[in-house]
Amino acid sequence: MSGPFAIDCRGLVKTFAGGSVRALDGVSLSIRENEFFTLLGPSGCGKTTLLRLIAGFEQQDAGEIDLHGERLDHLPPYKRPVNTVFQSYAVFPHLTVAENVAFGLEMKRLPRADIAARVMAMLTLVKLDGLGSRRPTQLSGGQQQRVALARALATAPKVLLLDEPLSALDLKLRTDMQIELKRLQSEVGITFVFVTHDQHEALTMSDRIAVMNHGRVLQIGTPEDVYERPTSRFVADFIGETNLLAAEPAGPGLFRLAGGDILQAEPAAASAIAVTLGIRPERAELCASAEGILRGRVEHISYMGTDTTYHLRLTDSGLFRVRTQNRDGALVRVRLGDAVGVRFPPAAVRLLDE
């Protein structure tokens, strides 16, 4: 991942409705060569708008976009060395699978023998060997999405843009396609820029993730970085589940909750009068009430097969969740209404920006 960035965005601003809607608000980020980079955030956060700017389907109001060190934003979409895979597949129903994959190659007027060889290689890559003569209507949703991927990859783009391409698939197929997409990206060795609002997809496939909200990039990092070390309340709450506790500084590395309990947190620095502490449910464990850092009563129990989440009402009326894996002999035996304690290491407590 050395050398120039595959995509370099600097100060991008995009507005709609005569400037009243600010879809992108000074977005800057750099995407490395051969990286699986994900834009993650809720609907309306600006992630698809950013993808469309890179593709050339929209023009920014301010800022610059470079591809491998050269300005990209002045080129029309058809002259940009990028391809896009959409949520709706967008395969041509009147063409066969092979004809769909060959479409972009034929537009480039390549020799027929080269096109045939490339189509066969692409169908093998996406595991659709032997299906070249079928029509899209004869394929499953997952197979149609593979056709769209093969068509987009056939012309060897420098960057592949993927706009929520798995959201129309059912859960099991979506999970399988996540693995396939990562395999494809590794095999073809090009940059993938993937848009999703699904945190699980982002954590499963990405080399790095940019978490967005209200047209801004809030944090960029590896899946481990953004999950284990969120820098803001929004990131901590959007990616996975997080217990958010209001507190105030009570000494170096110490914070007092509304009910008077004192917690130790990492990192220890805090200058604000009021702060928010974040604790992942799986980093906490239940214990006897007298042994807990926090104490409360079990208000609800959610059994999920692989794990169980215990919803507690703390003594200061706050809510707290504890998640435990259902390993052999490790299922915690508590019932609704039981008084319990909660304990966790200081490293599990994160100090979050608003």
Side-chain angles (χ1 to χ4, degrees), residues 150-354:
R151 185 179 61 192
L153 291 169
T155 56
K158 292 184 178 180
V159 175
L160 185 64
L161 308 175
L162 302 108
D163 189 6
E164 303 203 50
L166 308 183
S167 60
L169 305 178
D170 63 57
L171 178 60
K172 186 179 186 306
L173 186 55
R174 190 162 68 242
T175 301
D176 292 342
M177 283 298 295
Q178 289 168 11
I179 298 171
E180 283 300 303
L181 269 181
K182 185 58 180 174
R183 177 188 66 81
L184 280 172
Q185 191 266 335
S186 298
E187 288 192 20
V188 299
I190 67 173
T191 302
F192 277 26
V193 183
F194 186 87
V195 162
T196 185
H197 62 271
D198 188 313
Q199 53 182 282
H200 184 267
E201 282 185 355
L203 293 172
T204 299
M205 297 186 290
S206 310
D207 294 316
R208 287 191 304 149
I209 300 169
V211 184
M212 299 183 65
N213 195 34
H214 297 312
R216 293 176 176 267
V217 174
L218 302 184
Q219 184 173 351
I220 298 176
T222 65
E224 181 182 357
D225 284 337
V226 296
Y227 186 84
E228 298 289 351
R229 292 172 287 278
T231 57
S232 69
R233 179 187 179 115
F234 177 85
V235 173
D237 198 32
F238 186 76
I239 299 182
E241 294 185 347
T242 304
N243 294 297
L244 300 173
L245 303 174
E248 59 183 26
L254 300 176
F255 299 89
R256 180 180 292 105
L257 304 183
D261 292 312
I262 301 293
L263 300 188
Q264 186 177 349
E266 295 182 2
S271 57
I273 296 176
V275 300
T276 299
L277 304 178
I279 305 169
R280 297 287 187 190
E282 69 274 14
R283 298 296 302 277
E285 62 176 339
L286 297 178
C287 60
S289 182
E291 299 172 1
I293 300 172
L294 302 176
R295 288 153 296 281
R297 289 190 178 274
V298 180
E299 196 170 78
H300 183 70
I301 300 175
S302 300
Y303 176 79
M304 302 296 292
T306 58
D307 53 67
T308 299
T309 299
Y310 299 88
H311 302 253
L312 313 179
R313 175 72 62 178
L314 301 181
T315 52
D316 63 358
S317 297
L319 295 175
F320 196 95
R321 290 161 293 181
V322 177
R323 184 181 301 119
T324 62
Q325 284 192 318
N326 297 330
R327 296 187 297 268
D328 291 342
L331 189 60
V332 179
R333 301 297 178 184
V334 299
R335 298 183 227 175
L336 292 177
D338 283 357
V340 295
V342 182
R343 59 190 176 197
F344 38 81
V349 185
R350 307 300 302 178
L351 181 60
L352 306 173
D353 293 332
E354 288 300 316

Side-chain angles (χ1 to χ4, degrees), residues 91-110:
V91 294
F92 303 123
H94 63 289
L95 301 180
T96 66
V97 168
E99 290 167 344
N100 265 278
V101 177
F103 181 81
L105 301 171
E106 291 175 346
M107 293 298 99
K108 292 189 172 187
R109 302 186 182 279
L110 297 180

Side-chain angles (χ1 to χ4, degrees), residues 6-17:
I7 296 287
D8 191 22
C9 302
R10 300 181 298 278
L12 294 180
V13 174
K14 178 62 180 177
T15 60
F16 295 100

